[in-house]
Amino acid sequence: MLDRYFWGSVNRISPEAPVPVVDVVEESTRLGGAANVANNIASLGGIPVMVGVIGDDQNGKNILGIVEEMKFPTSGMITDSSRPTTLKTRVIANHQHVVRIDHEVKVDIDGSIQKKILDAMKHQIKTLDGIILEDYNKGVLTKQLIKDTIALANEYGKIIAVDPKFNNFFEYQEVTVFKPNKKETEEALGRRLHSMNDIESAGRDLLQRLRARNVLLTLGERGMVLIERKGPMTHIPTAARKVADVSGAGDTVVSTLTMALAAGSDIREAATLANYAGGIVCGEVGIAPVARKVLYETVLEQSNHAATE
């Protein structure tokens, strides 16, 4: 996806309708969607291998240009002329979101494009430490492609981290970490999660139904809960000091989590680092990757603060 931003200020209400008039002072474009996951991986010192779909259009060319400028591998980026590149346009005024406009097609990609994506995965699989399946309900991660990708990853013993959405929620069988948020979990299981007991019960249900090794359930201002197949529930309180914008926080969390696991962290260490990283990006307006130095300094600062209390 490509993220486009209009930055400006609001000083009056339109005479045509009761809506704010934004005086634009700056425009910018950034990598969005799974490309933002790649951006986070690179920012943390990893090498992202992007596998996905862009359209045969100017927005697709813009994504390729940014990716090539950042020197990311592009061999897994498949052009599908039957659909546009997903574009999200955000209007931000006075440091607040005013509106978001989406240009996209959400139908499933056809069999030929699925085969190209799987072939790209097979070509790269021996060189990878982990695979992140980042689902946005845009039609790229089809049921068959999810099944084939997970089978391939498990065959080669690779880390598999999943950031799911509702449509294919229960298709992600036998993965390393399944990372839904509270709302997605409530919708998928058809019940409300009020207490920590409710949350743990839901997490255990997901572990069983998905045969996952770990479930990391994000709770917004309440932080995260890690439920391990062979361990207790661990509540990780939020590390966010201020919340300016939650856009892209899920991308940062799953990127940091997978990078930490690939570097040798255990699941609790990885989840704790991911929690810190998510807190950092929530303090920024607009989607931006977490910097390794900032993450290190934040962990050090908050650990020292906790030690003196």
Side-chain angles (χ1 to χ4, degrees), residues 215-228:
V215 168
L216 182 63
L217 210 162
T218 58
L219 307 173
E221 69 277 1
R222 296 170 72 182
M224 304 177 181
V225 162
L226 172 66
I227 300 119
E228 303 167 67

Side-chain angles (χ1 to χ4, degrees), residues 18-243:
V19 295
V21 175
V22 179
D23 294 318
V24 175
V25 296
E26 183 184 349
E27 297 180 31
S28 61
T29 55
R30 300 177 184 177
L31 296 177
N36 183 48
V37 174
N39 206 5
N40 274 276
I41 289 169
S43 185
L44 290 168
I47 301 171
V49 178
M50 301 168 65
V51 180
V53 170
I54 57 173
D56 185 14
D57 51 26
Q58 187 56 51
N59 290 324
K61 292 181 177 67
N62 290 343
I63 289 179
L64 276 175
I66 297 171
V67 168
E68 288 168 354
E69 187 178 317
M70 299 178 84
K71 296 182 168 56
F72 296 168
T74 60
S75 59
M77 297 178 67
I78 311 301
T79 299
D80 184 350
S81 59
S82 71
R83 61 199 295 137
T85 302
T86 296
L87 172 68
K88 292 183 178 180
T89 302
R90 293 175 175 88
V91 179
I92 298 177
N94 300 22
H95 304 290
Q96 292 185 330
H97 274 204
V98 176
V99 68
R100 193 181 89 185
I101 305 160
D102 292 358
H103 292 84
E104 61 189 6
V105 168
K106 297 181 181 180
V107 298
D108 283 357
I109 55 174
D110 66 28
S112 65
I113 298 296
Q114 291 183 54
K115 184 179 184 304
K116 288 180 180 180
I117 290 175
L118 190 62
D119 286 346
M121 293 289 299
K122 290 177 178 177
H123 180 71
Q124 299 280 355
I125 190 68
K126 291 182 180 179
T127 68
L128 304 178
D129 293 302
I131 295 172
I132 298 172
L133 294 173
E134 187 70 36
D135 197 344
Y136 298 97
N137 279 354
K138 305 301 183 190
V140 175
L141 281 171
T142 64
K143 288 179 171 56
Q144 189 61 49
L145 189 56
I146 291 167
K147 181 180 178 180
D148 291 343
T149 302
I150 293 174
L152 179 67
N154 280 327
E155 179 185 348
Y156 285 87
K158 304 300 181 180
I159 296 162
I160 316 164
V162 176
D163 197 353
K165 280 290 185 288
F166 181 78
N167 289 358
N168 294 316
F169 198 86
F170 292 109
E171 299 298 320
Y172 295 99
Q173 298 284 321
E174 299 184 30
V175 301
T176 310
V177 191
F178 186 73
K179 189 206 75 65
N181 62 33
K182 178 173 172 283
K183 182 175 181 291
E184 290 160 351
T185 303
E186 288 177 332
E187 289 175 349
L189 294 179
R191 64 184 194 252
R192 304 292 291 173
L193 307 180
H194 299 292
S195 67
M196 280 297 170
N197 286 337
D198 295 339
I199 290 165
E200 180 172 12
S201 175
R204 298 285 174 198
D205 284 352
L206 292 179
L207 279 177
Q208 183 176 8
R209 291 182 65 169
L210 297 169
R211 294 178 291 173
R213 292 189 277 285
N214 305 280
V215 168
L216 182 63
L217 210 162
T218 58
L219 307 173
E221 69 277 1
R222 296 170 72 182
M224 304 177 181
V225 162
L226 172 66
I227 300 119
E228 303 167 67
R229 182 191 290 176
K230 298 181 179 179
M233 180 184 83
T234 304
H235 179 218
I236 307 169
T238 182
R241 293 187 174 182
K242 62 175 182 176
V243 178

